[in-house]
C-alpha cells in the first residue's frame, strides 16, 4: 500500500498553508470531541446501571406480601449476585428459611453456593439446597454431582429437586429419571426429598407420579393462595425486594405452622 506523503511547505502557497493548518486544527478538535463524548457516554451508562441496581436499596421492601403468609422464606442462586447477609439479617421481611441452588445437571455448580450455604447457617435461617434437573442428562450422574457438593447438617431441609423442562426423550423418561433421583436421595439422606416445579408443568407432566413427595409449587398469585394442588411450599412471587439482595428474589410460603417445618428437615 502506498503511503500518503504531505507535500513540503515550499510547494504550498501562503493561502494553502493557512487552509492546511485550519484542516489540521478541525481534525484534531473532532477527534478530541469524539473521545470525550465516548467517555461521557460510558460514565452516564455506568451511572444509569448503578442507579437501576441500587433501586432495591433506596426503595422500601415490599413486606405487604410477606407478612400475609403463615411462614415466609426466599430462594436464591448466583443470579442474585453477591448477597450482603448482614443486610438481609436486618430485613423487615419475616424470613424463616432460605433455599439455595447448589448444582445443575451432572457437572454444574452454582458459583455462589458455598458462600451462601455457610452464610445462611450463620444467619440462623433454616437452610435448604436444591438441584436443577437437566432432562437430557443421566439422573444417577446428576445425583452424584449434588451429593458431592452439598454437606447437610441436622436441621437442614430435605434435598430439593427442581424440575421445569421436558427434554428430548419425552414424558415417560422424564418421570423415570425424576423418580430415580428422588429414590437415590431418600436412600442416602433418610428423608423424603422435596420437589419444586411450576403449577402448569405439574398438571401436564408430573401429576399422578410424585404425590408421595412434598411439593413446592411455583404459581405467581401474590396474595391469593394455591388451591388446585396439595402443596407444602408455594412460590407466590418472583418480585420480592429484600435488603442486601441487589435484584428481585422469589418469595415462598409454607402451608402450615413453623413447628410443622420439622417434618421436612434432616434429623
Amino acid at each position: 500500500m502506498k503511503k500518503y506523503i504531505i507535500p513540503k511547505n515550499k510547494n504550498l502557497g501562503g493561502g494553502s498553508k493557512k487552509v492546511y493548518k485550519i484542516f489540521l486544527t478541525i481534525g484534531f478538535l473532532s477527534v478530541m470531541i469524539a473521545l470525550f463524548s465516548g467517555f461521557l457516554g460510558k460514565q452516564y451508562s455506568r451511572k444509569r446501571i448503578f442507579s437501576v441496581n441500587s433501586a432495591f436499596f433506596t426503595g422500601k421492601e415490599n413486606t405487604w406480601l410477606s407478612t400475609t403468609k403463615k411462614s415466609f422464606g426466599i430462594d436464591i442462586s448466583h443470579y442474585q449476585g453477591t448477597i450482603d447477609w448482614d443486610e438481609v439479617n436486618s430485613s423487615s421481611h419475616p424470613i424463616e428459611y432460605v433455599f439455595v441452588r447448589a448444582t445443575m445437571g451432572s457437572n454444574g455448580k452454582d458459583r455462589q453456593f458455598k458462600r451462601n450455604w455457610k452464610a445462611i447457617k450463620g444467619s440462623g435461617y433454616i437452610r435448604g439446597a436444591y438441584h436443577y434437573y437437566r432432562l437430557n442428562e443421566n439422573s444417577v450422574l446428576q445425583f452424584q454431582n449434588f451429593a458431592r457438593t452439598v454437606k447437610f447438617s441436622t436441621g437442614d431441609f430435605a434435598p430439593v429437586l427442581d424440575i421445569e423442562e421436558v427434554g428430548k426423550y419425552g414424558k415417560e423418561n422424564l418421570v423415570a429419571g425424576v423418580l430415580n433421583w428422588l429414590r437415590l436421595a431418600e436412600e442416602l439422606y433418610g428423608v423424603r426429598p422435596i420437589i419444586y416445579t411450576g403449577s402448569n408443568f405439574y398438571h401436564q407432566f408430573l401429576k399422578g407420579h410424585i404425590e408421595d413427595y412434598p411439593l413446592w409449587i411455583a404459581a405467581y398469585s401474590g396474595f391469593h393462595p394455591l388451591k388446585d394442588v396439595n402443596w407444602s411450599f408455594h412460590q407466590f412471587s418472583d418480585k420480592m425486594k429484600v435488603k442486601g439482595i441487589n435484584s428481585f428474589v422469589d418469595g415462598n410460603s409454607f402451608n402450615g405452622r413453623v413447628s410443622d417445618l420439622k417434618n421436612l428437615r434432616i434429623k
Side-chain angles (χ1 to χ4, degrees):
M1 180 181 293
K2 293 183 179 179
K3 293 183 179 179
Y4 177 73
I5 302 174
I6 299 175
K8 294 181 180 180
N9 289 341
K10 67 178 182 179
N11 295 327
L12 294 174
S16 298
K17 290 181 181 179
K18 291 182 180 179
V19 171
Y20 176 67
K21 289 180 179 179
I22 290 172
F23 275 116
L24 280 180
T25 302
I26 293 173
F28 176 76
L29 290 174
S30 298
V31 170
M32 294 302 295
I33 291 171
L35 291 173
F36 187 65
S37 298
F39 172 77
L40 289 179
K42 287 182 179 179
Q43 295 303 308
Y44 172 76
S45 177
R46 289 172 183 169
K47 183 176 181 181
R48 186 174 63 84
I49 291 172
F50 178 78
S51 176
V52 170
N53 290 340
S54 299
F56 295 92
F57 295 112
T58 57
K60 292 183 178 180
E61 295 181 308
N62 47 359
T63 53
W64 57 88
L65 280 174
S66 62
T67 53
T68 62
K69 306 303 178 183
K70 295 180 182 178
S71 179
F72 174 75
I74 60 176
D75 62 275
I76 57 174
S77 69
H78 66 221
Y79 292 119
Q80 273 69 49
T82 301
I83 294 174
D84 185 338
W85 287 100
D86 289 334
E87 285 289 301
V88 174
N89 294 340
S90 66
S91 170
S92 297
H93 288 290
I95 301 171
E96 293 167 354
Y97 51 88
V98 180
F99 288 99
V100 56
R101 187 176 68 170
T103 50
M104 307 86 75
S106 59
N107 58 8
K109 290 179 174 55
D110 190 286
R111 295 190 300 272
Q112 293 287 337
F113 172 69
K114 287 184 178 180
R115 181 179 184 276
N116 287 331
W117 189 240
K118 181 179 180 180
I120 295 166
K121 189 170 184 66
S123 298
Y125 303 119
I126 304 172
R127 63 180 183 177
Y130 71 91
H131 173 80
Y132 183 85
Y133 191 81
R134 290 177 177 164
L135 276 298
N136 301 324
E137 297 181 17
N138 183 277
S139 60
V140 175
L141 296 179
Q142 293 199 57
F143 176 73
Q144 290 174 347
N145 182 30
F146 180 80
R148 285 192 303 267
T149 304
V150 184
K151 303 305 176 186
F152 287 106
S153 299
T154 301
D156 293 335
F157 278 122
V160 180
L161 182 62
D162 175 356
I163 174 70
E164 303 178 30
E165 299 175 307
V166 180
K168 62 184 179 182
Y169 298 115
K171 178 179 177 179
E172 185 176 341
N173 283 287
L174 159 68
V175 173
V178 166
L179 292 177
N180 190 47
W181 195 100
L182 296 171
R183 177 184 61 81
L184 293 170
E186 187 169 0
E187 288 178 357
L188 180 61
Y189 301 113
V191 61
R192 191 152 288 186
I194 301 166
I195 300 176
Y196 169 92
T197 191
S199 178
N200 293 334
F201 193 91
Y202 165 76
H203 285 289
Q204 189 172 359
F205 298 104
L206 298 176
K207 187 175 182 179
H209 301 284
I210 58 173
E211 275 60 36
D212 291 337
Y213 297 92
L215 299 180
W216 177 8
I217 302 295
Y220 303 137
S221 54
F223 292 105
H224 305 288
L226 193 59
K227 296 181 178 179
D228 57 351
V229 60
N230 183 24
W231 56 276
S232 294
F233 291 98
H234 175 200
Q235 188 181 84
F236 61 86
S237 175
D238 62 347
K239 293 292 188 293
M240 303 302 299
K241 292 184 178 181
V242 179
K243 287 173 62 177
I245 303 178
N246 203 21
S247 68
F248 286 122
V249 66
D250 299 326
N252 302 278
S253 175
F254 176 64
N255 192 17
R257 298 168 299 182
V258 176
S259 58
D260 297 327
L261 287 171
K262 65 182 180 181
N263 297 324
L264 300 174
R265 299 166 71 178
I266 293 176
K267 300 183 174 56

